[in-house]
Amino acid sequence: MDQQTQEQFGFKRVDAGAKQGMVRGVFSSVASNYDIMNDLMSGGMHRLWKNDFVKRVHAGPNATILDLAGGTGDIAVRLRERTGANVTVCDINADMLSVGRARQFDAGKADGLRFVCGNAEHLPVPDASLDVITIAFGLRNVTNTQQALNDAYRALKPGGKFLCLEFSHIPNALLQKMYDAYSFTAIPTIGQLVAKDRDSYQYLVESIRMFPKQDALKKMMEQAGFAQVKYTNLSFGVVAIHEGYRI
């Protein structure tokens, strides 16, 4: 294969045209167990990270908000409760959307939410039409990260805000080593025991390690055009929140 047409799929190099389908397969496989696996893998910390993330969204009930890669709807529900705005959930995976739509409907929280199947690299919205775009634990699974950032910038109104919550890199080498040991042993094992799917969770661990470090992602956002870009490490850098504005 031509090296220039390849992208990372975990630690592997695969054809860029194939990655999207491979990632879709991973999330179709894990969709039904996604939330319980998040609780088990993070010890429930993902709920605190998401709450912190959503608190950084300052918008009113008339705001246009798009939550990317948010198939389960958990971020969208938080955004809806915080802002009062209608929220569009956009995810490339129809199985994740189906699980999320059913879950929020059963919980009585689907009011004000819209679920749309779409690609983060080519958002199904007009130019300069959104006030806020959020993406939580999804950017590392996009085939072309820079293209997704570029399109988020395109879709935001001037003054609009982009926020990304993603697994990141721990600056302390010893802590990173301990975290690696946990990730590469415990998480695939939990995936096998609970979801009967070791390979998908092995990919998810590998995809975290291959994702750009905090400063590199900040530069990519600036390259897309975002201004006032900053990031905040949570849990020693296990995850980071990146924020930027279209000026």
Side-chain angles (χ1 to χ4, degrees):
M1 289 185 291
D2 184 346
Q3 192 72 10
Q4 292 184 340
T5 67
Q6 292 184 317
E7 296 285 347
Q8 291 295 145
F9 180 79
F11 288 163
K12 302 174 184 176
R13 299 286 292 176
V14 300
D15 185 85
K19 179 177 176 177
Q20 190 176 101
M22 295 171 75
V23 172
R24 185 182 293 115
V26 167
F27 283 91
S28 292
S29 175
V30 304
S32 61
N33 293 292
Y34 191 73
D35 286 335
I36 189 171
M37 282 297 297
N38 282 342
D39 279 328
L40 292 172
M41 291 186 298
S42 72
M45 287 297 296
H46 76 103
R47 299 177 183 272
L48 300 179
W49 297 332
K50 290 172 181 175
N51 288 341
D52 191 329
F53 178 60
V54 169
K55 286 178 182 177
R56 297 164 190 267
V57 175
H58 303 289
N62 295 321
T64 51
I65 301 177
L66 182 75
D67 180 44
L68 269 174
T72 61
D74 57 346
I75 293 293
V77 167
R78 288 173 169 85
L79 289 168
R80 171 78 173 157
E81 292 173 347
R82 177 171 176 78
T83 68
N86 292 334
V87 181
T88 298
V89 180
C90 182
D91 199 298
I92 199 169
N93 190 288
D95 291 321
M96 291 290 286
L97 287 169
S98 179
V99 168
R101 186 186 295 108
R103 182 169 295 150
Q104 302 311 333
F105 181 83
D106 289 345
K109 296 182 177 181
D111 181 56
L113 303 185
R114 187 167 71 103
F115 292 81
V116 174
C117 198
N119 189 335
E121 297 175 36
H122 305 285
L123 297 175
V125 298
D127 295 355
S129 60
L130 300 172
D131 294 299
V132 178
I133 296 175
T134 60
I135 182 167
F137 304 119
L139 191 58
R140 74 183 189 281
N141 297 309
V142 173
T143 300
N144 188 323
T145 302
Q146 188 64 61
Q147 173 59 32
L149 294 172
N150 293 348
D151 207 55
Y153 185 86
R154 173 197 65 79
L156 283 169
K157 299 175 183 178
K161 188 174 185 180
F162 173 81
L163 302 98
C164 172
L165 170 64
E166 189 54 89
F167 287 108
S168 200
H169 301 267
I170 302 174
N172 183 288
L174 178 59
L175 289 178
Q176 181 67 55
K177 186 175 182 179
M178 294 168 62
Y179 178 52
D180 284 345
Y182 164 75
S183 298
F184 284 101
T185 55
I187 290 178
T189 301
I190 295 171
Q192 176 63 40
L193 293 173
V194 176
K196 311 304 180 188
D197 186 350
R198 184 182 188 89
D199 290 346
S200 290
Y201 287 94
Q202 180 70 31
Y203 157 73
L204 292 174
V205 173
E206 293 177 4
S207 70
I208 293 169
R209 297 307 178 271
M210 298 306 298
F211 192 68
K213 292 184 178 181
Q214 289 89 324
D215 285 321
L217 182 57
K218 178 176 181 288
K219 290 178 181 176
M220 292 174 72
M221 288 178 62
E222 291 168 341
Q223 183 177 331
F226 288 104
Q228 300 179 28
V229 180
K230 66 177 182 178
Y231 65 83
T232 305
N233 286 331
L234 304 179
S235 300
F236 306 103
V238 170
V239 300
I241 297 172
H242 282 70
E243 308 170 61
Y245 293 86
R246 175 174 178 174
I247 303 300

